[in-house]
Amino acid sequence: QVQFVESGGELVQPGGSLRLSCAASGVIFNIEAMGWYRQTPGNQRELVARITSSGSAMYADSVKGRFTISRDNAKNTLYLQMNSLKPEDTAVYYCNAYRTYSGRYYPKYDKWGQGTQVTVSS
């Protein structure tokens, strides 16, 4: 059974930094394209960062230049380094594998982890 366990979120002041972790199990992690999603109340999850199995990373415009996604295949762990945080980054952050279809990106697994809350506030 696929499991994703996100951690590292907390309350941080604007301009601060956080490092999120996602421990994956039940998947062949080294061949999975992985992504970080975030969700705020009343909104859909949005893909903010993704990384291929070979390590190529892509970012949403809203986080480009501030966030860095990485992976450690030996540890089945995905990371998100978040710098220069803004209040609009406040959300619950989730990880999942993703697949590409018709030029769009979709979560691969229906089962999500509990997410980790990031709150950026002064």
Side-chain angles (χ1 to χ4, degrees), residues 14-43:
S17 297
L18 288 173
R19 189 195 194 205
L20 307 184
S21 297
C22 166
S25 61
V27 300
I28 307 175
F29 186 79
N30 65 304
I31 66 170
E32 296 276 24
M34 296 292 297
W36 282 99
Y37 298 76
R38 67 185 183 188
Q39 186 174 34
T40 55
N43 295 302

Side-chain angles (χ1 to χ4, degrees), residues 7-9 17-21 36 70 79-83 85:
S7 62
S17 297
L18 288 173
R19 189 195 194 205
L20 307 184
S21 297
W36 282 99
S70 62
Y79 302 99
L80 186 67
Q81 179 65 48
M82 310 165 69
N83 298 325
L85 283 162

Side-chain angles (χ1 to χ4, degrees), residues 6 8 11 16 20 22 28-29 46 52-53 58 60-62 67 71 80 84-85 92 96 98 111 118:
E6 301 91 347
L11 192 154
L20 307 184
C22 166
I28 307 175
F29 186 79
E46 63 170 334
T52 69
S53 60
M58 286 71 65
D61 288 342
S62 58
F67 291 10
R71 63 194 298 159
L80 186 67
S84 301
L85 283 162
V92 178
N96 206 329
Y98 72 88
K111 186 176 181 180
V118 172

